[in-house]
Structures are given as C-alpha cells and as structure tokens.
Amino acid sequence: EPPKKEAKTHAQESKTHSQKVAASDEFHTFQIEYVQIVGLMKQTFTAAVQENHPIDTQLLLSQVADLFQSRKTIVEMFDMLYNMRTVTDSVYAHCLNVALISRMIGRWLHFERHELDVLTIAGLLHDIGKLLIPDEVLNKPGALTDEEFALIKKHPKLGYDILKRQTELDSRIAKAALMHHERCDGSGYPTGLTEDFIDNFAMIVGIADVYDAMTAARSYRAPLCPFQVISNFEKDGFQKYHTKYILVFLK
C-alpha cells in the first residue's frame, strides 16, 4: 500500500501566505540581491551628495532591472516587496521599492524600453534629497513640529539641486525628484503645482511613493494594509493624481 499522507498540523494549516513566501528559496534569493542593491545605492548616493561624483545610472539600472525580471509575475513582485518589510526601511530601501513599483506602472502603460528605464531611475533617485535632512528629524518618533515638517518639505528641491549637477541625466529624473509630492489639485508641495504643470514621470513616481510609504511601518504608526491604501486612493486619488495613472495602478 502507498504510504499514508501525514495529517497537517493546525500550525501548518494556518500558515499565512506571507509566511510561506518568506520561507521560500525564491524569497531568500530575492532578499540577498535586494540587500546588495541597497548597499550599492548607499555608496553611489553618498558619493554623489557629498563629493558630487557622477551617478552610474547604467550600473544601478542593470541591477534593478535584473531584480525586476527575477519575478515571473507582478503578484510575485508585490509579495517579495511586502516581505522585505523586515529590512530596516531606510531611504535607500524605499527608493528601490519606488523604482520597482514605478517600473511596474510603466509596464502597465506599455512604455517602450528607454522610457521604462528613465522612469525606473527617476523612482530610484526621487528621494536623494533626504540625505541632506538630519536623521533625528527624518526618523523622529512621534509628531514633527512645524519647523521640522518645513525642513522635511525641502527634500524635493534639495534632490533636484543634486540631480541637476548630474549633467548626463534625463531632465525628467530631476523633475521627478522636485515634483513627486505635487498633486493635481494643487494641494502638494514644494510649489503647489496643478496637473498641467507637473511632469508625467513625477506623477507616476508620486503614486508609487505614496503606496510604498503607507504600506511601510513608521516610528509613529503601524503599516497600513495594501487594501487600506488602495481604498484611500479610491476615496481621494482622482483629485490628487492623474486619472490615467491612478486608474492603471488601481486596476
């Protein structure tokens, strides 16, 4: 007789999808590659900010594109990113997540390869200005004072200034750093631009930025479930974000 299958324990039956992903060989491989890219980003960003070194976008892009291609489906990619929450949510990890999500949106919009690559780098570099914000303000537990929030709100312009010195970069990359907190209804910052004046890539990066930030844990709040973030987008997203891009993301 064939051997009887062992009955699953209650613990095995109740193992969540997230736990199954985290225990998989695929996730361990993804985690190693992800951490390596974060290390490369830290080295590259620091050299650009402190010493005005040129940013090797081709090296960064090849690493990020390979990580993106390592997942067979978009669902797998979101599974991997969700489980990477165990890694300290540094500026670099956030930028990598935004690059990957922006690339997904670009794929859904059927961007050609060059446009997809520029959008990916725009996502990767969008928060580089935060490296000039003191850590005690950036990672402060609890509510920020008005002065501290005003300082945080300078990071788009700081990032733009850093990237404008990189003369080889596509201009949309610097614009994404400057405008990713602008909103179509004029409620964003640093300038309060409305839809007609916001760069298209900045609009896409802005959606990826909000999704990743809201689904991450912060010192002052727990992470939101992705479905809560989607619900928020459905509630007020059509005023704040370009209809074409927010609809593609929600779908």
Side-chain angles (χ1 to χ4, degrees):
E1 290 184 4
K4 292 180 180 178
K5 290 183 180 178
E6 291 184 13
K8 289 186 177 179
T9 65
H10 177 69
Q12 288 171 321
E13 291 285 4
S14 62
K15 198 174 189 181
T16 67
H17 175 69
S18 181
Q19 288 171 322
K20 288 175 185 174
V21 170
S24 68
D25 292 339
E26 291 83 2
F27 176 70
H28 293 152
T29 301
F30 181 90
Q31 190 175 36
I32 291 167
E33 294 174 0
Y34 183 103
V35 171
Q36 286 174 341
I37 296 173
V38 166
L40 175 63
M41 289 169 63
K42 185 173 184 178
Q43 182 182 352
T44 305
F45 286 20
T46 303
V49 172
Q50 295 181 358
E51 302 167 35
N52 200 27
H53 278 199
I55 297 172
D56 189 343
T57 54
Q58 287 307 308
L59 176 60
L60 289 169
L61 181 63
S62 66
Q63 301 274 327
V64 176
D66 285 349
L67 187 66
F68 186 90
Q69 289 298 124
S70 70
R71 299 299 94 219
K72 298 183 185 70
T73 67
I74 295 295
V75 173
E76 279 189 31
M77 178 60 74
F78 273 104
D79 276 344
M80 296 295 162
L81 293 183
Y82 187 78
N83 278 279
M84 286 305 298
R85 292 308 184 193
T86 54
V87 175
T88 303
D89 187 46
S90 65
V91 170
Y92 309 102
H94 170 64
C95 284
L96 178 52
N97 293 350
V98 170
L100 291 167
I101 296 168
S102 295
R103 194 173 182 88
M104 289 179 205
I105 297 173
R107 284 276 296 274
W108 292 331
L109 291 163
H110 306 294
F111 280 6
E112 59 167 274
R113 180 60 183 266
H114 175 69
E115 301 290 284
L116 207 57
D117 289 347
V118 173
L119 178 60
T120 302
I121 293 297
L124 202 67
L125 298 175
H126 82 285
D127 258 354
I128 195 169
K130 282 187 176 175
L131 271 63
L132 296 175
I133 306 294
D135 281 346
E136 60 269 21
V137 175
L138 208 55
N139 301 312
K140 179 183 175 182
L144 296 170
T145 65
D146 290 344
E147 293 77 14
E148 288 167 339
F149 187 53
L151 185 59
I152 291 273
K153 287 169 75 172
K154 290 181 179 180
H155 81 268
K157 178 63 166 60
L158 293 171
Y160 177 77
D161 291 340
I162 293 165
L163 297 176
K164 283 298 285 182
R165 299 198 299 262
Q166 301 281 331
T167 54
E168 300 301 313
L169 288 183
D170 187 297
S171 63
R172 292 171 292 183
I173 294 169
K175 286 178 183 176
L178 180 63
M179 300 179 185
H180 67 276
H181 282 291
E182 301 286 2
R183 297 294 177 256
C184 292
D185 60 1
S187 64
Y189 66 86
T191 316
L193 299 177
T194 51
E195 181 175 326
D196 292 341
F197 302 97
I198 305 171
D199 182 80
N200 288 327
F201 278 16
M203 292 183 188
I204 295 171
V205 170
I207 292 169
D209 174 58
V210 169
Y211 176 83
D212 188 68
M214 296 301 285
T215 53
R218 290 289 181 264
S219 55
Y220 50 88
R221 64 157 172 79
L224 294 181
C225 163
F227 294 105
Q228 289 175 278
V229 180
I230 289 168
S231 178
N232 290 344
F233 274 138
E234 289 174 336
K235 186 171 65 176
D236 60 14
F238 295 99
Q239 288 77 46
K240 294 180 181 293
Y241 306 98
H242 192 291
T243 305
K244 177 181 177 181
Y245 303 139
I246 195 66
L247 277 175
V248 163
F249 181 74
L250 291 174
K251 184 182 176 189

